[in-house]
Amino acid sequence: MTDLRVCHLYPEHLNIYADRGNIAVLRARCRWRGIGFAAIACGPGDPLPDADLYYVGGGQDRDQLLIEDDLVGRAANLRAAIDDGAWMLAVCGGYQMLGHYYRGHQGDEMRGTGLVDLVTEAGPTRMIGNISIDCELRPGQPLTVVGFENHAGRTRLGEGVRPLGRVLHGHGNNGRDGGEGAHAGRIVGTYIHGPLLPKNPALADLLIAEALGRRHGTVALEPLDDRLEGMAHDAALAIAAG
Ligand code: GLN
């Protein structure tokens, strides 16, 4: 049977703005299609489960600090899993920890996993508000992704790392270069909460299809009735445009 295995990293620590809703969407969209689904929680000290998709949500600086050592200690295993075909989705605080470091506004520095060549430094103000981006995670399949952002961190991508998308409305990575998030191979990072996936079903399906590919090859996902999700998406897009 086709099934998706998701590892939810630090659900007790990194789960701001209902980020766990992303797991609920992945579960629902698999089940509606008769695809098996398992989400395995992985907290500090737990063994890293074998998974098709590793997911980490957002959190405040102090929450990130609580899992810093554990997450950094998993960097090599996560790298190996991704090289083996797994995907990773990281939101906000989790996204920042994909990089080399996160420097707080007081100069305190937290290490990241270095899975993606990026760094984050907090600024004096928070970047808060509704956001929309143009995204082309899969070449030739442009999407508009919508949601909400709230971060002090300004993220800069290394040379050769592509943003997940271009900001239409909102701040994105740093409020300056027009980029939002990062897409590096099978790793996707984004500042977008909302949570991200309920209003962006096309992005959810893309991640499901790609992650299923690790063990099941190319899987054609049956279309779902996304009228409600589409309305939520379009409403969020209009709100972001002000
Ligand atoms: N602590 C980070 C920041 O403020 C992330 C916040 C979040 O996950 N919403 O930049």
Side-chain angles (χ1 to χ4, degrees), residues 43-120:
D46 292 342
L48 188 71
D50 177 64
D52 309 308
L53 175 67
Y54 291 84
Y55 169 71
V56 54
Q60 312 227 14
D61 294 9
R62 64 169 176 275
D63 302 315
Q64 292 171 239
L65 205 53
L66 290 172
I67 54 87
E68 173 190 4
D69 288 346
D70 190 85
L71 179 59
V72 170
R74 296 183 191 277
N77 286 341
L78 286 168
R79 177 84 265 162
I82 291 157
D83 288 346
D84 181 49
W87 278 69
M88 183 161 188
L89 172 65
V91 176
C92 203
Y95 164 45
Q96 294 170 341
M97 299 190 82
L98 292 178
H100 302 296
Y101 66 82
Y102 172 88
R103 189 173 299 146
H105 193 47
Q106 314 300 337
D108 40 313
E109 196 163 300
M110 215 184 295
R111 290 160 302 143
T113 54
L115 289 168
V116 181
D117 182 19
L118 61 86
V119 298
T120 302

Side-chain angles (χ1 to χ4, degrees), residues 129-210:
N130 298 298
I131 176 166
S132 56
I133 67 169
D134 260 340
C135 160
E136 204 168 311
L137 189 58
R138 204 183 255 166
Q141 287 186 24
L143 306 172
T144 309
V145 176
V146 295
F148 180 79
E149 61 181 328
N150 180 355
H151 50 107
R154 276 77 169 151
T155 297
R156 281 179 290 124
L157 306 182
E159 300 259 335
V161 180
R162 301 193 315 143
L164 174 63
R166 310 298 312 171
V167 175
L168 296 170
H169 293 279
H171 303 280
N173 280 337
N174 48 56
R176 285 193 311 273
D177 66 15
E180 200 295 310
H183 174 206
R186 284 185 280 274
I187 305 179
V188 173
T190 179
Y191 272 114
I192 301 182
H193 297 285
L196 172 72
L197 297 179
K199 297 191 208 59
N200 296 294
L203 179 61
D205 280 358
L206 218 148
L207 291 167
I208 291 170
E210 293 290 350

